[in-house]
Amino acid sequence: MLTLKHVSKTFHPGTVNEKRALQDLSLKLDDGEFVTIIGSNGAGKSTMFNAICGTFLIDSGAIFLDGKNITAMPEYKRSSSIGRVFQDPMKGTAPNMTIEENLALAHAKGSRGPLAFAINKKESAYLRDCLAEFGMGLEDRMKTKVGLLSGGQRQVVTLLMCTIVPPKLLLLDEHTAALDPATAQKVMEITNLLVERHHLTTMMITHNMSAALTTGTRTIMMDDGQILFDMSGKEREDMTLDELLKMYSAKKNQTFDTDRMLMTE
């Protein structure tokens, strides 16, 4: 489904600000895999997502999605196949448009022109039903501008926008990090529901190491633009937090720095 082959990216090469963000990174995801990604700040997690989305062109290597080479494909073309939810709830929606209007635009993706904006009663009822099952009361606020919603409510709208037309790949970029614990749990429940329902190939960046070991089917740890280790199956099931930290220290040959890796609970 997704293949990264020897991907490298250096920002500001040849200057004092040179940063090797991705270093010969290779990764393969099968259809329907749900991979959680952990690593210290600056490890290259979001940079990898940006490379996949086409935010910038990589220096070397290749990226394939569903068997198609997208390495040189512009970001706007990739967006029809890749859904992304950011940490910042302000991203991913049009705040001055209503919930209904935002969802209708996402629902129209790929089936109508970008300016086709008429919302008929049947579509309106469908969008309302989609929201109703989440139990957040958003179906009764369809005419409310998204900018007036709470962070958790906006993330739920963004999640539905990203999946109402199921993408080939869903990227979750710390999408619960800015939410309070109760709201974050609710958003994760909805996330798991949508991923399972649509059998979505998913990658989720998180600083919550406990969640990384219990969510999805596979966990990778990144550092300095590389993958330190990649675990799934019984190895992942049996892994404890203490063992995970020891693995990190052994791979890096240094004492684990809790200031660089955030939450463990």
Side-chain angles (χ1 to χ4, degrees):
M1 169 53 71
L2 175 70
T3 302
L4 278 66
K5 292 185 176 181
H6 305 291
V7 172
S8 294
K9 178 65 179 180
T10 298
F11 294 105
H12 312 296
T15 73
V16 294
N17 295 319
E18 179 173 306
K19 169 64 177 177
R20 296 178 65 190
L22 298 175
Q23 302 185 54
D24 196 35
L25 179 68
S26 292
L27 177 67
K28 182 176 181 181
L29 271 66
D30 292 327
D31 184 39
E33 276 200 284
F34 189 161
V35 179
T36 57
I37 305 162
I38 54 177
S40 56
N41 293 329
K45 306 182 297 297
S46 291
T47 303
M48 178 176 65
F49 274 16
N50 288 337
I52 293 169
C53 289
T55 305
F56 51 74
L57 293 178
I58 58 177
D59 297 334
S60 60
I63 302 173
F64 296 83
L65 181 63
D66 201 20
K68 183 176 182 179
N69 190 333
I70 64 170
T71 308
M73 182 181 291
E75 183 175 15
Y76 74 92
K77 287 189 176 181
R78 300 189 202 190
S79 65
S80 62
S81 300
I82 301 173
R84 185 174 184 178
V85 184
F86 293 87
Q87 175 180 343
D88 185 356
M90 299 296 287
K91 293 183 177 180
T93 55
N96 291 321
M97 295 172 63
T98 67
I99 295 175
E100 183 178 61
E101 290 167 344
N102 273 273
L103 292 177
L105 283 176
H107 190 224
K109 184 171 60 177
S111 61
R112 296 184 291 183
L115 299 180
F117 193 65
I119 307 171
N120 58 43
K121 290 184 178 180
K122 182 179 180 180
E123 183 177 24
S124 180
Y126 171 71
L127 298 176
R128 179 185 172 89
D129 289 343
C130 288
L131 279 175
E133 71 170 317
F134 299 149
M136 298 184 68
L138 290 172
E139 69 276 10
D140 297 322
R141 302 183 64 185
M142 298 294 284
K143 303 299 183 182
T144 299
K145 290 185 177 181
V146 170
L148 299 177
L149 302 179
S150 69
Q153 291 170 333
R154 288 190 73 156
Q155 291 297 64
V156 169
V157 172
T158 304
L159 267 172
L160 185 54
M161 288 176 67
C162 286
T163 58
I164 198 164
V165 177
K168 293 179 180 178
L169 177 67
L170 178 63
L171 302 179
L172 306 171
D173 197 346
E174 298 187 68
H175 72 307
T176 63
L179 308 177
D180 65 82
T183 303
Q185 181 177 351
K186 179 66 175 178
V187 171
M188 273 309 309
E189 290 173 359
I190 294 171
T191 299
N192 288 324
L193 171 68
L194 292 170
V195 168
E196 183 175 353
R197 172 177 297 166
H198 299 299
H199 190 65
L200 297 176
T201 304
T202 305
M203 302 175 75
M204 183 180 80
I205 296 172
T206 179
H207 276 104
N208 188 319
M209 296 175 68
S210 295
L213 291 175
T214 57
T215 302
T217 58
R218 180 177 166 192
T219 298
I220 66 174
M221 176 178 277
M222 294 185 65
D223 192 79
D224 291 333
Q226 301 172 309
I227 293 176
L228 283 184
F229 51 81
D230 183 340
M231 70 182 102
S232 58
K234 185 169 176 56
E235 179 188 19
R236 182 176 184 261
E237 291 174 7
D238 295 340
M239 182 66 60
T240 66
L241 287 176
D242 285 343
E243 290 171 339
L244 185 61
L245 300 183
K246 288 178 182 178
M247 284 181 64
Y248 176 86
S249 297
K251 287 282 187 179
K252 293 296 293 179
N253 194 29
Q254 64 186 45
T255 304
F256 183 77
D257 185 349
T258 54
D259 290 333
R260 295 185 66 220
M261 184 81 74
L262 299 182
M263 296 184 297
T264 59
E265 297 297 340

